[in-house]
Each structure stands twice: as structure tokens, then as C-alpha cells.
Amino acid sequence: MTSCKLIMKNVGKNIRDYLIYFLTLMISVSVFYAFNSVSDQPAFSEMGMTKTLLYDQLGILLSTLTVLIAVVLAFLIIYANLFLLKRRKKELGIYMVLGMKKGRISRIFAGETLCVGMLALVTGLCLGFMLSQGISLVALKLFAIEISKFRLVFSMGAFRKTAFCFVVIFLLVMVFNVRSVSSVQLIDLFTAGRKNEIQGRSRFLPVLLFLVSLVCILSAGAMFYKNGILPSRENRYFQTAGILLVTGTFLFFYSLSAVLVRILRANSNVYLKGLNTFLVRQISSKIRTNVFLLTIVCGLLTVTICAVSVGVSTALAMNGLSKSATPYDLNVLSNVSLDGDGSISEYLASKDADLSGYAENMEQISIYEADFTYGSLFAGQNVKLWPIDEGILESGVSVLGVADFNRALAMQGKEPVTLAENQYLLNCNYKGTFQYVEKALEDNADFVLAGIRLQRASDTVLEETCFMTSVGNNDRGTLIVPDAVAHSLTKDVNVLLVQYRPDADSDAVLQKMIPIGLDDTHGYRYAEKNMMYDMFYGLNALVSFLCCYIGLIFLLICAALLALKQLTETTDNIYRYGLLQKLGAGKKRVGRTLLSQTAIFFAAPLAVAGIYSTVLMGKAMEIVEEFMNIHISTNMIFTVVIFLTVYGSYFLATYLSCKRMVTEHQNKRMEE
């Protein structure tokens, strides 16, 4: 039989053994292609300059990650190939007994790997092409580009990059196979499945190590909770907590097997029921001999859960805030104490930034400062502000005259509000202070402002945007009062509100405003809608894309490592399942035992990672909230879907493959 025919026959005969290897390659190729093809979507060529800069930055970051991830995937695929080599050792030994040269055996095995690899590459590219269209649609949404501009496109650049990386990986795998087969001894091929690691046992040491691991983990959690999860040059809390967490996790898995056996043996009704004794011993041995692997997988799963959850939650939070935060096309703020109480539009015209040719409507409003602070407004409350807001307690409360407030509402197409001469309203749309403003309105039926007693005109806090600052941070709390009361206070800021004409060029306006914003000798600052949208959607896309990309790759690595390890150990211990059947255990009971063993092996690192993520995710959310100054609600739906899809698929494929191996072994024993 020629080598080609033997290769094709072996691939067909062992197609089930190649399932995990094929699945790992296919998903790796599809994800690799999909994320690298986003930049070739034609609709992205129509973005503004700010958004384009952020989009280019995303491309640079993705390219850098691509190199690192290609290296990681290479090790993962080689590791998957190790399982195939170990699974086929006896078959290769038979070839050697029949007189086949090692060189030809190496070529046959390399040919099989190439066939499966090429099939996985083609299938992965097809799947990646479909996945890339969905990712492109999501990217268009994140970058605020009309969906109608979407085009179905096949990225040749991503194709070449993917094909090149995986051809190099395939070549490395084939070289590794040739070297492994050429150096192996015949006796090793026949006795590989009988070699097992023998571990010494101590009665008290595992319990001591288990307690030490809990102390390390709890100490690390307390340090992260108190000091956050960002490294600092001033102190080494982050590094210390990280070392404690890694050490504690390693010791936890190292001692867990012995502690687990002790606990279950204490309850003889559970331990001696059915095949539980065999199951407990198998799980204990598996955890003990794979402690390093479980520690790595636990760490990667923790990063995956946090990254995907934070990325998706950030995107959802910012999507909900984007429209309400940008009701105007442009507003320019002037600090009255620095620039005087003049016309902002006239000043801009004198600086070659005349807006009359671009604006359809312009209004100037004034913000005043009350004679009492936010600390007084929130008196009697247990106020816990975000770090960025702590300074407002000593700041005077912002005040806006009702006429200016109504002019701002009119520019948004909203109905005006009415106030009597002795009434007030409270406005706030900032999550960081809204609950305190709402409580202040509830507790204070009246205020004394500028010597005038004002009564509340409504029991409800308004949530309007008077002027633009940043997404999610428009108004920490503003008193709306009669004009006569406002004019008796000290004026703090003037604000020019601008709505563009339909044909206005926003980039041209930005070009005129850039020198104004960079002038440190004056207090003029601006916020432009398109620029805010670009920054908002750009940061949104950067966070979401990078988090999901890293999360998907890490999840793939974890699932593949666990699957391959479970398959390898099932192959090594296949004869033990045969002994169970000889001792009278039915196929269904053996199958349930194998299912429980596989489920616990997959669930153990995931459960620990879930606990870690509960603590770390809260701190990660705080960092994002402080950086973007928005409030984020944790959303786990997307994370659960990803885990069910990828992690669940690997678990199911692993269990079915292990069950098939056990069944085939049992059938062979019965035939004999």
C-alpha cells in the first residue's frame, strides 16, 4: 500500500481521534481570521479624523496581539498533537514490528497531520469569513457608522496573515512529529499507556498546605480589595497580592485531592456508594498530577471572565449614555473669572473661528454658583463618591436661571418648564451623584438661596443635559431657579450652545476650535458632538474588541488544554474501565462515572476562577468607571453565552471522545 493511500485510510479510520485537534485548529483559524479582517471593511474609510486615529490604534494593537497569540496557538496546537502521538503509539509500534522504516512512519504521521490541518484551515477560513461579517457589523455599531454602509467582503490581507501563521505552525508540528517518531523506542510505544506517576502521601501535610493556600488566597483578595488591581511604583501591594494569589492557587489544587479524599472517606455512605470510590480516587489523582495545568487554566479563565464581562458591560453602558449626553453639535465654555462676562461668539470670530457660517442656531447661557456647597446639599446622607468626584463636596452648587434652562431645552426640541418667583427645581443626570441629589430633594421642601426662601416645584429630579462635557458626566446637580434669584449670584461659567446647519462640515469646525482649546492663557474650552462620538465609540471599540479578542483566545486555550489532558489520561487509564466492567459495573454506570469525572475536571478551575472574578471584576469596573467617568452595570449574559459555546463544546466533545474510547476498549475485550 502506498503512503498516500495509507495516510487517507488512517485519517478516515482515526477521524474521531482527531476531533479535538481539528476543533482546536478550526476555531483558532476562524477567530484569527475574523478579528484580523475587520480593518478591510470599506465602511470604515468614511470615519472622521478622531475616530480614524483610534481605529488605526486598534489595528496596531490587534497586530501586536496577533503575533503574541500566534505564538501561544502554536504551543497549543503542538500540545494537541502530543495527544495524537500518544494515542497512536501502539499503532506506530505495529508498523515498526512489520518492518516499516521510521522515516516512512514519520512521513505518514506528518501526512495525516497535514491532511487534518488543511481541512481545518479551509473549514476555519469559511467559518471565519462568516464570523468576520458579524464582527464587522458589531464594529460598525461601536464606531457609530450606518449599517447600510456595510459590505460583504473577503479580506485577502487577513487570509494571507492567517494562512502564513498556520502554515508555519503546521511545519513546526510536522518537524516535531518527525523528530518524536524518529527518536522513540519500540518498547516505549507498547508500554506508554501503562506508565503512571506515583505520588507519595503524607497524612498531615496536605491539610496544612490547604489551610496555607486559603490564607494566601484570602490575603491576596483583601489586598486587591483594599489597594485595587493596578500596579504602582509607590508600593508593591499589587505584586505581593499577585504572588500570594498564584502561590495560594497552586497550593490549593496541590492539596485539594488529599483533602477531598479525607472529607469523602469520613462519610462512608457517600464514599462507598456505587463507583464513588473509583471516581474519587480518579479525580484526586487527576487534580494532584495536573496541579500546574489547573493553576494556569484558572488564571487564564479569571482573565477571560473579567475581560469579556468588563468589555461588554462597558459597551452596553456607553451605548445607553451616548445620545442623551450629546444633544448639541457644539458648545464652548468660558471661565468668567479669567475671560470676563462677554459674548463667546464674538470672541471666537476675533480668533478666526467665526461659527455663523456653520451654525443654524446659537444660544449663550450662564451658570452661577450658589452660596452653599454640595456638602451642605447632601447634609445628613452617608455620601460615598467616586474618587474623581470627592472634591465637589467643597464646591458651590451650580445654579441656572429658568430662562436659560428653557433656551437649552428649546434647542433640543423639548417643552419649557415653569417656575413661580419662590420655587426651584433640581436637575441631575450623573450616576455618581444622582441618588444623593434625589435624596436632597426629598429631604428639603425649601432652600434659602441668596437670602430668598425657595420651595420645591416638583418631587422629581429632572434629568436633562444643559450643556455637553463628556459621556455620562453632564450634570452632578444643578438648581433651576427664577432669573432674578440667579442674577443675584456670582456668575461662574458662560456656555455657547450651537446646532450645525445640515450641510456644515464638522471637521472644518474642529480645525478652527483646536487652537482655542489649546490656549492656556484663556479659559475657553469646547465639546464637539462628532468628536465626542468618535472618542466615545473609539474607546468603546478598543475596550470591547481587545477584551473579547483576548477573552476568546484565552478561553480557547483553557478548553483545549483541559480537553487534551482529559483525553490523554483516559487513554492511559483505559484498562481500568475494563476492570470495572469485569467486576460487574454496567456500561451506563461507567458512562456516568466518566461524565462526572470529565465535568469535575472542567468545572474545578472554572469554579475557582469564578470566585476570583467576583472580587477582581468589581475592581476592574472601578478602574473603567474612573477612567471614563461613567457608571457600569455588570452584564454577564455575553460571557455566559461564550462559555456555553466554546467551553461547553469542548467539554461535550471531550466526554463523547472519552466515552467512545472506553466503549471501543470494552467491545474489544468482549470480542476477545
Side-chain angles (χ1 to χ4, degrees):
M1 184 181 292
T2 63
S3 296
C4 290
K5 289 183 179 180
L6 189 58
I7 288 171
M8 298 307 297
K9 184 177 180 180
N10 284 345
V11 170
K13 182 179 66 175
N14 298 292
I15 190 66
R16 292 180 180 178
D17 290 336
Y18 281 104
L19 177 61
I20 297 297
Y21 182 68
F22 175 80
L23 187 63
T24 302
L25 281 174
M26 184 186 68
I27 296 178
S28 300
V29 170
S30 62
V31 172
F32 199 86
Y33 170 84
F35 277 91
N36 282 283
S37 67
V38 175
S39 59
D40 287 341
Q41 176 59 234
F44 289 114
S45 62
E46 302 180 18
M47 295 187 298
M49 58 181 180
T50 305
K51 198 184 298 180
T52 300
L53 290 174
L54 287 170
Y55 182 71
D56 292 341
Q57 189 66 32
L58 173 62
I60 294 171
L61 291 173
L62 284 177
S63 298
T64 304
L65 280 175
T66 294
V67 176
L68 297 176
I69 288 172
V71 175
V72 174
L73 288 177
F75 284 106
L76 176 62
I77 292 169
I78 291 174
Y79 188 82
N81 187 71
L82 277 174
F83 162 73
L84 293 175
L85 185 61
K86 193 167 189 177
R87 178 84 171 120
R88 306 278 302 284
K89 276 189 174 182
K90 287 187 178 180
E91 180 184 338
L92 299 179
I94 293 174
Y95 289 153
M96 293 178 65
V97 169
L98 295 175
M100 189 178 291
K101 300 294 185 180
K102 286 185 178 181
R104 189 182 179 193
I105 296 175
S106 300
R107 289 194 297 272
I108 290 172
F109 200 78
E112 292 178 27
T113 306
L114 179 61
C115 287
V116 176
M118 293 305 296
L119 181 61
L121 180 60
V122 173
T123 308
L125 285 172
C126 293
L127 180 63
F129 172 72
M130 293 185 287
L131 180 62
S132 67
Q133 310 311 314
I135 292 178
S136 295
L137 287 171
V138 173
L140 293 178
K141 180 68 176 176
L142 290 174
F143 280 96
I145 300 173
E146 295 180 10
I147 301 298
S148 59
K149 296 180 180 179
F150 168 78
R151 297 292 181 270
L152 199 67
V153 61
F154 181 81
S155 172
M156 288 302 299
F159 169 75
R160 287 192 295 267
K161 187 180 295 185
T162 304
F164 174 77
C165 287
F166 282 88
V167 165
V168 172
I169 292 173
F170 294 153
L171 291 175
L172 290 175
V173 169
M174 286 190 286
V175 170
F176 178 81
N177 288 341
V178 171
R179 186 170 179 271
S180 298
V181 174
S182 300
S183 60
V184 76
Q185 299 299 316
L186 183 60
I187 187 65
D188 294 328
L189 294 174
F190 283 106
T191 61
R194 298 283 179 173
K195 294 179 180 179
N196 290 297
E197 184 179 354
I198 300 175
Q199 294 284 343
R201 296 295 183 187
S202 173
R203 187 172 182 181
F204 300 107
L205 183 60
V207 177
L208 178 62
L209 292 178
F210 185 78
L211 295 176
V212 171
S213 72
L214 294 181
V215 171
C216 290
I217 292 171
L218 292 175
S219 300
M223 294 178 70
F224 280 130
Y225 186 81
K226 181 180 179 180
N227 303 294
I229 58 173
L230 285 180
S232 172
R233 294 182 179 179
E234 287 74 21
N235 57 65
R236 298 291 178 179
Y237 290 118
F238 175 83
Q239 292 85 343
T240 304
I243 293 172
L244 284 174
L245 188 62
V246 173
T247 303
T249 304
F250 181 86
L251 293 177
F252 177 81
F253 285 118
Y254 183 81
S255 59
L256 180 62
S257 58
V259 174
L260 180 66
V261 172
R262 284 180 176 275
I263 293 174
L264 292 176
R265 287 183 65 179
N267 190 342
S268 58
N269 293 331
V270 175
Y271 185 68
L272 300 177
K273 183 179 179 181
L275 298 179
N276 285 353
T277 302
F278 173 79
L279 175 62
V280 171
R281 290 292 180 179
Q282 283 291 100
I283 293 173
S284 175
S285 175
K286 189 181 298 293
I287 293 175
R288 181 66 179 270
T289 55
N290 293 294
V291 58
F292 187 69
L293 173 67
L294 291 174
T295 303
I296 293 175
V297 169
C298 181
L300 292 178
L301 286 177
T302 302
V303 174
T304 298
I305 294 172
C306 292
V308 176
S309 298
V310 170
V312 173
S313 299
T314 302
L316 293 175
M318 295 182 77
N319 278 330
L321 293 169
S322 59
K323 293 184 179 179
S324 62
T326 54
Y328 317 108
D329 292 318
L330 172 72
N331 60 225
V332 184
L333 283 74
S334 169
N335 190 323
V336 174
S337 61
L338 290 177
D339 304 303
D341 186 14
S343 170
I344 297 176
S345 59
E346 292 180 2
Y347 173 80
L348 295 177
S350 68
K351 295 295 183 179
D352 195 27
D354 188 4
L355 299 178
S356 58
Y358 302 93
E360 184 175 64
N361 189 15
M362 288 192 294
E363 292 284 356
Q364 181 167 314
I365 63 174
S366 299
I367 309 297
Y368 298 83
E369 185 175 335
D371 51 9
F372 58 88
T373 64
Y374 283 99
S376 300
L377 181 65
F378 301 153
Q381 301 185 48
N382 183 21
V383 180
K384 295 181 179 180
L385 298 173
W386 295 336
I388 197 171
D389 300 321
E390 290 176 351
I392 71 168
L393 295 177
E394 288 77 38
S395 302
V397 176
S398 297
V399 178
L400 186 62
V402 65
D404 283 350
F405 185 70
N406 284 333
R407 280 197 292 271
L409 293 180
M411 291 190 69
Q412 302 175 39
K414 297 181 179 180
E415 295 295 323
V417 300
T418 57
L419 282 180
E421 293 182 357
N422 63 338
Q423 290 183 323
Y424 76 90
L425 290 167
L426 263 173
N427 185 75
C428 178
N429 59 12
Y430 178 53
K431 295 294 184 181
T433 56
F434 185 84
Q435 59 178 319
Y436 308 117
V437 172
E438 190 174 41
K439 180 63 175 174
L441 181 63
E442 178 185 337
D443 294 342
N444 296 278
D446 52 29
F447 279 115
V448 176
L449 181 62
I452 302 173
R453 184 170 296 276
L454 301 174
Q455 298 178 347
R456 62 186 175 206
S458 173
D459 296 332
T460 304
V461 177
L462 302 178
E463 298 182 52
E464 304 294 343
T465 299
C466 303
F467 60 94
M468 301 186 300
T469 53
S470 65
V471 175
N473 179 25
N474 300 113
D475 192 342
R476 289 177 168 88
T478 299
L479 279 169
I480 312 300
V481 300
D483 292 337
V485 177
H487 294 161
S488 65
L489 299 170
T490 302
K491 186 177 293 188
D492 184 30
V493 176
N494 286 325
V495 186
L496 179 66
L497 309 176
V498 182
Q499 295 283 19
Y500 292 155
R501 293 178 179 177
D503 58 345
D505 184 354
S506 61
D507 285 343
V509 176
L510 276 177
Q511 292 291 345
K512 293 179 178 293
M513 294 305 303
I514 288 175
I516 304 297
L518 295 177
D519 186 359
D520 292 333
T521 61
H522 295 82
Y524 291 94
R525 297 294 179 264
Y526 68 93
E528 205 270 342
K529 179 177 181 177
N530 292 322
M531 182 187 69
M532 289 176 64
Y533 258 54
D534 289 354
M535 290 295 295
F536 155 65
Y537 284 107
L539 289 173
N540 193 358
L542 282 172
V543 172
S544 301
F545 262 78
L546 294 179
C547 287
C548 291
Y549 189 32
I550 293 171
L552 278 172
I553 296 299
F554 281 5
L555 181 58
L556 172 65
I557 293 169
C558 293
L561 287 174
L562 292 175
L564 293 167
K565 196 63 180 178
Q566 173 67 18
L567 287 169
T568 302
E569 296 198 356
T570 301
T571 303
D572 291 342
N573 297 292
I574 196 73
Y575 66 94
R576 290 177 176 162
Y577 294 97
L579 290 176
L580 287 178
Q581 190 175 15
K582 287 182 178 181
L583 294 173
K587 290 184 178 180
K588 290 185 178 179
R589 181 172 289 184
V590 173
R592 287 195 298 269
T593 302
L594 185 60
L595 176 62
S596 300
Q597 182 180 334
T598 307
I600 293 174
F601 189 60
F602 272 77
L606 180 60
V608 177
I611 296 173
Y612 291 172
S613 301
T614 303
V615 177
L616 299 180
M617 199 186 307
K619 291 300 177 181
M621 291 290 190
E622 290 180 6
I623 294 172
V624 176
E625 287 177 344
E626 185 173 351
F627 177 69
M628 296 185 175
N629 208 26
I630 62 174
H631 179 71
I632 299 173
S633 298
T634 305
N635 190 294
M636 293 291 292
I637 296 177
F638 188 73
T639 308
V640 171
V641 171
I642 288 180
F643 269 79
L644 288 177
T645 303
V646 179
Y647 206 72
S649 297
Y650 268 94
F651 163 71
L652 184 61
T654 302
Y655 166 66
L656 293 177
S657 297
C658 291
K659 184 179 179 181
R660 180 186 57 80
M661 287 190 289
V662 172
T663 302
E664 288 179 353
H665 179 77
Q666 291 173 346
N667 292 337
K668 288 180 181 179
R669 290 291 185 184
M670 292 177 64
E671 291 174 0
E672 294 174 356

